[in-house]
Structure formats: C-alpha cells, structure tokens
Amino acid sequence: MNFAVSPGIEVPFRHPPSQRVHEWARHYQRVAKTPARNWRSTRRRGERALHATRERAYRIAKRTLDFTFAAALLIFIAVAIKLTDRGPVLFWQKRVGMWGQLFNFPKFRSMVVGADRMVETLIDHNHHGDSITFKIKRDPRVTWIGRLIRRFSLDEFPQLWCVLRGQMSLVGPRPALPREVENYTQAHRRRLGVRPGLTCTWQVSGRADVPFERQVEMDIDYVDSHNFWLDLKLVASTVPAVISGRGAY
C-alpha cells in the first residue's frame, strides 16, 4: 500500500498502519512498566530492610530487658538476705547425685544461720511424720525474705550452676541429703539412677505436700520412662506449679 505525501512523492509502508500502531503501543507499555516494576522492587527491599532493623532492635531490647530484670532480681534477693541478719547470701550443702556421688549444692539462704543444726529440736513437727524427709509448714527457721523466695522457688536459682557443671539436670528427681540416703531401702535407691533435677514429677504435683513414699514412686516412674518430651512437659508444668505455690514451704 502506498500513501501520497505530496504530488509526485510516494512513501511505501512495509506494514499496515494498524500493525505499526500496535507495535508502538506495546513498546510504550514496556517502557512505562519498567519504572513501576523498579519502584515496587525498591519498596519491597525497603520493607524487608525495615523489618530486619525492627527485628534486630526487638532482640536487643528483649535481651536487655531479660538481663536487666534477672540481674536486678538476683541483686535484690542477695541484698535482702544480707540485710536480714548479715549472714551469708548462699547456703551450701552436700547432696547426693547420680549413682550416689556427692556434690556441692547451693541455694539462696532462706533460713537463719545454723538452721541445719536445729532439726533435732523440731523433729516432732515434721509434716511428713515418721519419714526419711523433713518438712515443716510455717517453719520458724525461715526468714521473712526466705518465705518470699521459697514461695516462688527463687531460692533454687543458684542450682543452675550445678546444671552447667553437669551435676544436675533441669528435670530429674530432687537431690537428697546424705543422711536421707543412708536410710534408703534398695527400692528407694532406684531414684539415684539419673541425674537429679531442678524440677520433677512430684514438684509439679504438690511439692512438699506429697508424702515421701509417693515421691519415690513418682521418681521411679520417671527413671523408668523418662524421655525428651516428658522433660519438656514437666518444664512447662513447673511454671503454673510455682505460681500456685502449692506445697511451697
């Protein structure tokens, strides 16, 4: 097809005008879309960078809060214990670990100095009766700060050091005193077959309210059937048990 521009001049078209217009339109769309695609890509990169920055800030703030709160709580407990009677902050005992091995067992001191030497004078008030273990409700040896930290098991915090050293685990039968183990039967000694722990089955089922023989039954059941998922369950159950305060004395 030819198109006369002026008399005597003809301009040939290789393609019909309609096809050329269509090609121009498609070219314009490609050129027009490129800045839009670049802008969306830039916006997404900016959003990801902002999200990453917020996540880092959150982690730093969370870690700072955790460290500050934990340090403040530990310092408060230590200062309160020291100011109560000027005695030592930590109370160390020998406890019996796995297979009867002795290890040093620390707690925040919750009783008056020399409380362990007063057991014989209070034996008639033992809440567990004529039993191997010795527990008293409203124990007169416990200080005011001691009642507070025992209520929420804060006195147990120093035992995390034993966990780090491998002498204890987060979950396992509570470590017994040597004088208690001396009176164990062969059946009782089965609870020494695993590392002692910060929490255990009877700790989340009433703590000191659970009689000794029932404690032993629960510990032996744990020794026979312990596994990773049971440990997670007991750790999760410890939180509501501590909050309720049942058997905490």
Side-chain angles (χ1 to χ4, degrees):
M1 177 179 180
N2 296 325
F3 178 73
V5 178
S6 62
I9 298 178
E10 294 183 354
V11 179
F13 282 97
R14 296 181 181 177
H15 303 287
S18 59
Q19 184 175 347
R20 292 177 62 83
V21 170
H22 182 64
E23 291 176 355
W24 292 341
R26 284 193 301 178
H27 175 71
Y28 172 78
Q29 289 174 352
R30 287 196 297 269
V31 172
K33 285 182 178 179
T34 300
R37 284 197 298 267
N38 291 341
W39 180 81
R40 285 194 295 269
S41 177
T42 301
R43 186 182 65 179
R44 285 195 295 269
R45 287 197 298 269
E47 290 174 349
R48 286 195 294 268
L50 180 60
H51 178 73
T53 301
R54 287 176 176 173
E55 281 295 311
R56 285 194 297 271
Y58 167 73
R59 288 195 296 268
I60 293 172
K62 180 178 175 62
R63 176 58 181 158
T64 301
L65 178 63
D66 289 346
F67 181 85
T68 302
F69 180 80
L73 181 61
L74 293 175
I75 292 172
F76 169 78
I77 293 172
V79 171
I81 292 172
K82 194 68 178 179
L83 293 179
T84 298
D85 55 13
R86 305 295 178 180
V89 171
L90 294 178
F91 174 66
W92 291 85
Q93 279 183 319
K94 289 289 185 181
R95 292 289 181 114
V96 181
M98 187 167 60
W99 306 124
Q101 294 182 346
L102 293 176
F103 67 97
N104 292 320
F105 176 88
K107 299 179 73 172
F108 278 127
R109 185 172 60 86
S110 60
M111 294 185 176
V112 297
V113 177
D116 53 333
R117 297 190 296 271
M118 301 169 60
V119 173
E120 294 301 325
T121 63
L122 299 169
I123 197 69
D124 293 337
H125 302 281
N126 189 2
H127 179 64
H128 286 180
D130 187 14
S131 176
I132 290 176
T133 52
F134 179 75
K135 292 289 183 181
I136 304 178
K137 287 186 176 180
R138 293 177 291 277
D139 194 323
R141 300 172 298 167
V142 179
T143 63
W144 70 269
I145 184 62
R147 296 190 189 282
L148 177 63
I149 63 177
R150 287 164 75 100
R151 168 66 175 75
F152 296 105
S153 297
L154 300 179
D155 58 325
E156 312 287 356
F157 276 16
Q159 292 158 39
L160 291 171
W161 172 246
C162 298
V163 174
L164 293 176
R165 296 192 63 186
Q167 297 166 323
M168 292 180 63
S169 174
L170 289 179
V171 181
R174 291 293 290 160
L177 292 165
R179 61 176 174 79
E180 295 174 345
V181 176
E182 288 174 1
N183 295 312
Y184 275 9
T185 65
Q186 195 63 33
H188 295 161
R189 290 179 181 274
R190 289 190 58 198
R191 71 196 312 208
L192 304 177
V194 296
R195 281 191 181 89
L198 292 176
T199 188
C200 60
T201 309
W202 58 267
Q203 281 283 88
V204 302
S205 305
R207 298 161 83 173
D209 285 342
V210 180
F212 172 71
E213 292 298 334
R214 181 57 182 151
Q215 291 180 9
V216 173
E217 291 176 8
M218 291 181 175
D219 285 342
I220 292 175
D221 286 343
Y222 174 80
V223 172
D224 291 339
S225 61
H226 66 284
N227 57 70
F228 181 74
W229 299 112
L230 177 58
D231 284 359
L232 287 183
K233 179 182 177 182
L234 290 174
V235 169
S237 301
T238 299
V239 177
V242 169
I243 294 174
S244 71
R246 179 185 170 198
Y249 53 85

